Amino acid sequence: MTPSHSPHDRTLDPIASVLPGQQADDASTPARGSLRTRDVGKTVPLPDGALTILDGISLDIAAGERVAIVGESGSGKTTLLSLLAGLDVPSHGEAWLDGRPIHAADEDARAALRAQAVGFVFQNFQLMPAMSALDNVALPLELRGEAGGAIARSLLERVGLGQRLHHLPRQLSGGEQQRVAIARAFATRPRILFADEPTGNLDRKTGLAIEDLLFGMDDARQTTVVVVTHDERLAARCDRQLRLDAGRLLP
Amino acid sequence: MAGRQAWAGWRNGEFGVLMAALFVAVLALAGVGSIAQRTTDALAEQSRRLVGGDAAFTSDDRAIDAALGDARTLGLRAYRSVELSSMVGSGNAAPQLGTLKALADDAPLLGAYRVRTASGVQALPRPAAGTLWLSASGAERMRTPLGGIVEVGGRPLRLAGIVVEEPDRPLNGVELGPRVILPLAEVEAGGLLGPGARASWRVAVAGAPAAIARWVKAREADRSPGARVETGDDLSPQLRAALDRAQRFLSVSLVLTAALAAVAIGMAARQHAERHRQVAATLRALGAGQRAIVGLYVGQLALLGGIAILLALAAAGVLQHLAGGWIARELGTTLPAATAWPLLKGALVGLWILLTFALPPLLALRRVSALAVLRSDLRTPSPPALALFALAMVGLLALFWQAAGNAQAAGILLGGLLATTLVLGIAGWALAALVARAGRGGSGIVRYALLNLSRRRRLTIAQVVALGTSLMALLLLLLVRTDVWEQWQATVRGDAPNRFVINVQPDQRTSFDAVLRQLSLSPAGFSPLIRARYIGPSAQQRGRPAPQGRGERLADREFNLSTADALPAGNTLKAGAFWNPRSARGEFSVETKFAEQLRWRLGDTIAFDVAGQRIEGRITSLRDVRWESFTPNFFVLASPDLARDLPATYITAVKVPVGDTRLASALAQAVPNANVIDIDAITGEIRRIGDQAAMVIQVVFWFAFLSGCLVFVAAVAATRRERITELGVLRTLGASSAQLRNAQLVEFGAIGAIAGGIAAVAAAGIGTLFAQRVLDLPPTWSGTTLATGALVGTTAAMLAGWLSMRRHLHATVRETLGAAG
């Protein structure tokens, strides 16, 4: 699939950027809303020896791009997503999120960056079970010290849950919970949105609706979207796909 | 399968709190309880030493020959001595009336005399022929060094030793002048035991309890002159009070430890059941019946609970051996052998805790629907709350009753615990409701943290109750322990009098006061002492059972009456009303326990013979006496109108430096008929008891503290997984470490503040009742103590919450969400 260009500034040739070992123009500073890695890898210690989950990942994602990370189960998709989003630290290599290096940043610095620029949608929704839909969506704004009630209400209405504001997650179906999660992810108008198997726990029809919602929330294409999925249809809706196999990016 | 699941659960840390709490409870009851039991048995053993055996019989004539014969027939060991008064003099001191104690050739039954001789301090059975020993004050009076000559009844004997410890020195007797211990043969050779000699013969016996009981019963029937039976029950009231108090406090502390552990186990079991709801639902979906579910979870509980109990019993055995030996060495005493009862009790209580607190939530899993596999909103069925609650309360009541010794004390403790739990529950609910309202207007992480309290309302209430209850129990023990300890300290180390002065005539008061002024001493009161003999039961008492045992012995003794215009210091009115000195007519006030032993009641008419004069009056008040104050106190007080013209001497108590003999010397000159009784021996014994009990109390307190900590851990663990997940999500959303830390501190701080404040007030209230009604102590807590308690509770809760999450505050989101499972 030929990757389309983002309306935002592009600093790298998108094809060259995914070739293993290919070095980009490192003298240039990654733009806001973009992602970059250079030779990133992740190894975890196990009782019977270290396990390499990812190795030698170098990629560039331009601001505004919609990229799908695909691959078979166990290929390292979620791990790559975690590293790109700063939820985990690479064992080696360098990574930039929203134009800022995160490979050597501590957890607080990464959290601060996420608060400013990132939204996240989990496969299992990860809503706060004791908080209503409204409170869940308002939470990221509250963490920034902002009143989030009005924005949260507006977002929930936009995702079709205007009548369920005060319901707890256990009172919502899987699809409805994912809608809340998407609304929460967009509450802070993130420059980058990460989604980990957003339709993985949903039926086909509901999954389609969620996909539409996910992309529909950013009509103006101002948000970089990185989605991990094994759903080929969802992957096809993205500008390009990064295919992982046994922890390595395929050309 | 139960075994495999148990092992897997143990490796996952699922059963840590449950097994730890069970281990602590059983170890406390079996191990520490055993040490406490052995220590109090040792204290009782010391009371035997004070009697000189298991029992003793004293008589003014040779009726002891029959007593000795009976002892031999019953297979008892026996030891004879005789006490009499005689003139004692030396080259350096004028002859004075002293107390002689003559020892026969039988060995002492319980421990030798410790005597300072020319070769140092030695343990000796009796002085050698031609020698004598003096008490320390006696040697001071005689001004004779070791090896010098002391004349007894005109017979010169060499001073071979100064007595350091006399195993059967009577605590209740009156000592006149220097105390001399010498061989019976010397007394007989000196002709001091001829006809008309006023000697008191004594035989002490030791042996099997059944034989002792028969011997005592036979002696109680002896009506020969001066016949008196003594057992350990005849300890001075001060020692009795100290022993009783120590025992009750220790027992109650252990029960509270077990109760706290039960709370921790209950919480841990509920959490385990909650976590396994899905597992149980899956098993049901796969075809497992209720019986299989029960077998699985009850099997796990039985296996792990059994291991915890067995390990605790083994540890108890080791603890007994090590700690018991240490206590014995530190205090220079030996502890009786351990019995199996504390171990059995520990195991039984452990089983009861498992049955009433751990089993029910697990049994409820059998009613989890298979549908819960698909429907996560289906609630876990709850165990029958009311039945369980009743069962748990009955068990606790029984434990408290057994520990405290009476229904009132058990009621105070259990009632206080229940009332506190109720108040804490209401407070937890109110907290959740309050923050729900107040939090709506705010923003940020503090609002999030406070609103969590209302969002997790049931858990908030459970945590407030758990933290508050454990804190209340710990504060209660701390407050009461402080009361007990401070009272002991004040009584035996502080300004408690250690010299009683008796036999002061009314017209000698001025001279006596002059001596005290000269020595800068202040008397603790100055009370008349009236010797009286009780004249049998009145008509109203004849229908009641006669006094038995000690009561019977008390009835036959001469009484020391006194009088007072007002309720004396150290006395607490328990029933009736103390008289108005101006209007009182024929009234008596009696010490409560004394009245019980003699079967006297409020309103009874009692009569006494005072030097041939009959006095009669009604008992119009009953009072408790704090004997450890060591001020002159009396079992029976007569109203001023009764005592007005009766022959009396005066008694007072004074505090002098230990070993000081100046008072005795000065009074010997100015008030020669006055007698100074040195009660350092009694205070020394109480000090020893206090030291021994304090050691064990400290150990018991730390076990209770450990139990309380486990409750804290269980309470915090109740929401731990949820918190870890939330922490991961908050991190993903951009929350900083500081925000997350502050959220934990705010949430737990609010819970801790409420729990700590209520716990402090409850502990003060229950502690007051318990100290006054059960331990006969005035409470000494203050507002500062309460405020400190509340602050400690808040801090402890915040610390517990922070510690439980600390590891995750700086971990990556991936690590955190992975840890949440």
Side-chain angles (χ1 to χ4, degrees):
Chain A
M1 176 173 180
T2 306
S4 61
H5 288 267
S6 158
H8 297 268
D9 288 341
R10 300 290 301 276
T11 58
L12 297 166
D13 183 312
I15 296 174
S17 71
V18 304
L19 291 177
Q22 184 88 19
Q23 295 301 313
D25 180 358
D26 292 326
S28 63
T29 304
R32 305 296 285 280
S34 70
L35 296 146
R36 173 185 291 181
T37 68
R38 290 291 175 264
D39 196 30
V40 153
K42 182 70 180 179
T43 305
V44 295
L46 291 178
D48 49 355
L51 175 67
T52 300
I53 301 174
L54 293 173
D55 190 29
I57 305 293
S58 295
L59 58 83
D60 280 277
I61 298 174
E65 261 201 291
R66 291 173 180 174
V67 174
I69 301 175
V70 298
E72 292 180 354
S73 292
S75 57
K77 303 188 297 295
T78 299
T79 302
L80 178 58
L81 192 75
S82 301
L83 294 176
L84 289 173
L87 302 183
D88 201 357
V89 287
S91 303
H92 59 266
E94 298 170 330
W96 285 262
L97 170 65
D98 194 43
R100 275 168 279 187
I102 58 171
H103 45 274
D106 63 18
E107 180 57 37
D108 271 347
R110 294 198 302 275
L113 188 48
R114 287 195 297 271
Q116 288 172 22
V118 172
F120 211 103
V121 178
F122 294 90
Q123 178 178 7
N124 54 357
F125 327 133
Q126 294 288 20
L127 298 178
M128 300 294 200
M131 295 171 73
S132 66
L134 186 67
D135 285 341
N136 265 286
V137 174
L139 185 57
L141 295 164
E142 298 230 353
L143 291 175
R144 288 168 22 159
E146 301 168 18
I151 295 175
R153 189 169 286 110
S154 160
L155 283 167
L156 281 168
E157 284 168 358
R158 190 164 168 198
V159 301
L161 292 175
Q163 304 301 314
R164 310 290 296 276
L165 298 180
H166 300 293
H167 286 207
L168 297 175
R170 68 168 186 266
Q171 296 169 309
L172 303 172
S173 68
E176 288 166 341
Q177 289 187 57
Q178 197 62 298
R179 287 168 185 266
V180 175
I182 290 172
R184 181 179 68 184
F186 278 98
T188 55
R189 297 185 184 218
R191 286 190 284 277
I192 306 170
L193 180 81
F194 294 96
D196 182 14
E197 302 274 13
T199 59
N201 283 356
L202 305 171
D203 61 270
R204 183 183 165 82
K205 185 178 171 190
T206 308
L208 271 172
I210 292 298
E211 284 173 28
D212 290 341
L213 191 60
L214 195 65
F215 293 116
M217 292 289 282
D218 177 41
D219 288 342
R221 297 295 296 264
Q222 291 182 343
T223 304
T224 309
V225 176
V226 180
V227 56
V228 163
T229 183
H230 62 266
D231 183 339
E232 295 291 343
R233 188 193 61 252
L234 173 56
R237 289 180 73 165
C238 296
D239 298 333
R240 63 186 168 110
Q241 297 173 29
L242 300 175
R243 189 167 291 276
L244 277 175
D245 181 28
R248 288 184 168 270
L249 271 176
L250 296 180
Chain B
M1 187 175 170
R4 284 201 306 275
Q5 286 286 97
W7 175 238
W10 168 252
R11 288 185 65 185
N12 285 340
E14 286 188 32
F15 298 106
V17 171
L18 191 147
M19 289 186 73
L22 188 60
F23 180 86
V24 166
V26 175
L27 180 60
L29 287 166
V32 180
S34 178
I35 292 170
Q37 181 66 52
R38 290 171 70 196
T39 303
T40 48
D41 285 350
L43 302 181
E45 173 73 15
Q46 286 179 4
S47 77
R48 294 176 61 226
R49 293 180 66 232
L50 298 173
V51 173
D54 292 324
F57 174 70
T58 307
S59 172
D60 290 349
D61 69 15
R62 299 218 177 219
I64 63 158
D65 290 339
L68 263 177
D70 281 351
R72 291 195 181 109
T73 305
L74 290 167
L76 298 173
R77 290 175 294 130
Y79 174 44
R80 283 179 310 146
S81 62
V82 58
E83 288 206 5
L84 67 159
S85 304
S86 185
M87 297 305 286
V88 182
S90 73
N92 301 323
Q96 44 193 289
L97 195 62
T99 302
L100 308 187
K101 180 177 178 181
L103 306 178
D105 291 338
D106 334 74
L109 289 178
L110 300 169
Y113 289 79
R114 289 183 65 232
V115 184
R116 183 160 51 81
T117 69
S119 310
V121 176
Q122 297 180 287
L124 299 167
R126 71 195 73 78
T131 71
L132 56 75
W133 299 333
L134 283 173
S135 61
S137 58
E140 185 79 25
R141 284 175 185 241
M142 291 294 103
R143 300 196 193 110
T144 302
L146 282 174
I149 296 297
V150 175
E151 285 194 6
V152 176
R155 191 177 172 79
L157 297 168
R158 189 170 57 82
L159 176 60
I162 310 292
V163 176
V164 174
E165 190 179 314
E166 186 178 340
D168 57 350
R169 177 178 176 151
L171 290 179
N172 296 335
V174 173
E175 204 168 281
L176 303 176
R179 184 171 178 78
V180 181
I181 297 175
L182 71 172
L184 179 59
E186 299 294 343
V187 169
E188 287 173 330
L192 296 175
L193 292 174
R198 294 197 61 189
S200 180
W201 292 87
R202 190 169 190 272
V203 59
V205 295
I212 293 289
R214 284 176 62 185
W215 186 85
V216 167
K217 201 168 157 65
R219 303 284 75 73
E220 281 171 348
D222 191 319
R223 291 285 181 250
S224 58
R228 193 171 81 240
V229 179
E230 293 168 39
T231 63
D233 289 344
D234 294 312
L235 276 183
S236 72
Q238 293 88 350
L239 277 173
R240 170 173 304 288
L243 270 179
D244 286 348
R245 188 171 296 123
Q247 200 148 16
R248 267 177 287 173
F249 181 76
L250 286 170
S251 298
V252 167
S253 302
L254 288 171
V255 171
L256 274 174
T257 301
L260 288 176
V263 170
I265 286 168
M267 295 191 75
R270 289 194 81 92
Q271 288 156 33
H272 181 74
E274 192 57 40
R275 279 198 296 274
H276 278 252
R277 188 171 66 95
Q278 282 297 103
V279 172
T282 305
L283 288 171
R284 293 301 301 273
L286 293 175
Q290 287 196 0
R291 194 176 291 184
I293 303 282
V294 168
L296 174 65
Y297 287 102
V298 172
Q300 286 182 53
L301 186 66
L303 185 62
L304 292 169
I307 290 172
I309 290 175
L310 286 174
L311 284 175
L313 292 177
V318 172
L319 181 69
Q320 275 209 56
H321 178 69
L322 293 175
W326 180 76
I327 289 174
R329 275 195 304 276
E330 285 294 311
L331 300 174
T333 185
T334 52
L335 298 186
T339 64
W341 168 237
L343 295 176
L344 185 61
K345 183 177 168 185
L348 287 173
V349 172
L351 280 173
W352 166 76
I353 290 174
L354 279 180
L355 283 174
T356 50
F357 287 85
L359 185 61
L362 297 181
L363 277 182
L365 284 173
R366 76 188 192 281
R367 287 187 275 117
V368 170
S369 168
L371 187 58
V373 170
L374 303 173
R375 295 279 306 276
S376 60
D377 58 314
L378 286 179
R379 288 198 179 278
T380 308
S382 297
L386 203 56
L388 284 172
F389 181 75
L391 186 62
M393 290 305 107
V394 165
L396 270 180
L397 184 65
L399 276 178
F400 278 134
W401 197 325
Q402 195 257 336
N406 62 75
Q408 184 192 43
I412 290 171
L413 287 168
L414 191 60
L417 201 61
L418 288 175
T420 305
T421 305
L422 184 63
V423 171
L424 285 166
I426 293 171
W429 176 87
L431 173 66
L434 188 66
V435 296
R437 285 176 185 276
R440 290 194 200 290
S443 67
I445 200 69
V446 172
R447 174 174 177 263
Y448 161 77
L450 287 176
L451 283 176
N452 269 344
L453 294 172
S454 71
R455 290 181 194 124
R456 291 193 276 254
R457 189 165 299 207
R458 287 174 71 183
L459 278 168
T460 297
I461 293 171
Q463 287 180 327
V464 169
V465 170
L467 290 173
T469 309
S470 66
L471 195 59
M472 186 276 292
L474 291 176
L475 282 174
L476 175 65
L477 289 180
L478 185 64
L479 288 175
V480 177
R481 183 197 74 158
T482 305
D483 284 346
V484 169
W485 183 237
E486 285 183 356
Q487 288 299 332
W488 260 322
Q489 295 279 51
T491 298
V492 301
R493 294 180 195 273
D495 53 2
N498 59 353
R499 296 287 187 274
F500 273 51
V501 183
I502 65 170
N503 239 7
V504 179
Q505 302 296 325
D507 57 352
Q508 291 172 322
R509 181 71 188 268
T510 308
S511 306
F512 179 73
D513 287 345
V515 168
L516 293 186
R517 271 198 307 275
Q518 180 195 338
L519 297 174
S520 303
L521 299 172
S522 305
F526 202 73
S527 307
L529 191 153
I530 303 163
R531 301 287 283 178
R533 190 165 278 280
Y534 174 52
I535 302 174
S538 63
Q540 72 210 131
Q541 292 157 2
R542 282 198 193 104
R544 299 176 203 152
Q548 298 293 318
R550 184 161 185 260
E552 195 181 2
R553 294 196 291 276
L554 289 173
D556 283 344
R557 274 186 182 171
E558 255 196 339
F559 280 55
N560 291 326
L561 304 184
S562 185
T563 187
D565 288 342
L567 188 68
N571 284 240
T572 310
L573 197 65
K574 300 306 283 188
F578 203 77
W579 52 71
N580 181 326
R582 282 190 290 276
S583 59
R585 290 288 175 269
E587 299 181 43
F588 287 102
S589 177
V590 184
E591 196 265 352
T592 312
K593 292 190 185 64
F594 191 77
E596 279 170 18
Q597 281 165 335
L598 284 155
R599 313 262 199 243
W600 292 348
R601 293 183 197 159
L602 197 69
D604 281 359
T605 299
I606 55 177
F608 295 90
D609 181 304
V610 179
Q613 185 179 339
R614 179 187 170 93
I615 61 169
E616 185 177 284
R618 252 182 357 108
I619 298 175
T620 54
S621 62
L622 297 174
R623 57 198 158 80
D624 283 347
V625 177
R626 207 163 59 78
W627 297 103
E628 308 94 313
S629 64
F630 285 101
T631 52
N633 266 301
F634 298 88
F635 289 113
V636 181
L637 292 173
S639 56
D641 63 298
L642 283 178
R644 189 166 293 124
D645 296 317
L646 294 176
T649 58
Y650 284 80
I651 179 173
T652 186
V654 187
K655 167 74 180 157
V656 305
V658 174
D660 192 293
T661 56
R662 292 177 305 151
L663 178 65
S665 302
L667 286 177
Q669 307 277 337
V671 189
N673 50 285
N675 299 117
V676 179
I677 301 172
D678 183 343
I679 57 171
D680 278 334
I682 302 177
T683 56
E685 285 302 321
I686 294 182
R687 195 176 300 126
R688 281 165 63 92
I689 290 170
D691 287 343
Q692 291 171 356
M695 273 196 174
V696 184
I697 284 172
Q698 285 288 93
V699 171
V700 168
F701 179 76
W702 284 115
F703 267 88
F705 182 77
L706 194 56
S707 265
C709 288
L710 285 169
V711 172
F712 268 55
V713 169
V716 168
T719 53
R720 188 164 181 275
R721 283 188 189 225
E722 210 177 287
R723 288 175 190 278
I724 292 174
T725 305
E726 287 179 8
L727 194 149
V729 174
L730 286 169
R731 269 285 195 214
T732 306
L733 298 175
S736 67
S737 301
Q739 283 181 308
L740 297 174
R741 184 189 60 238
N742 292 344
Q744 301 298 315
L745 292 177
V746 165
E747 198 173 331
F748 277 100
I751 291 173
I754 292 285
I758 293 174
V761 173
I766 300 170
T768 299
L769 279 175
F770 189 71
Q772 287 177 333
R773 303 268 178 95
V774 180
L775 300 182
D776 299 322
L777 288 174
T780 57
W781 53 267
S782 65
T784 310
T785 312
L786 296 185
T788 307
L791 189 61
V792 165
T794 308
T795 309
M798 289 167 73
L799 197 61
W802 175 71
L803 282 174
S804 74
M805 304 301 292
R806 184 172 50 106
R807 190 163 62 90
H808 302 287
L809 289 177
H810 300 283
T812 65
V813 172
R814 196 105 195 268
E815 287 165 351
T816 301
L817 290 176

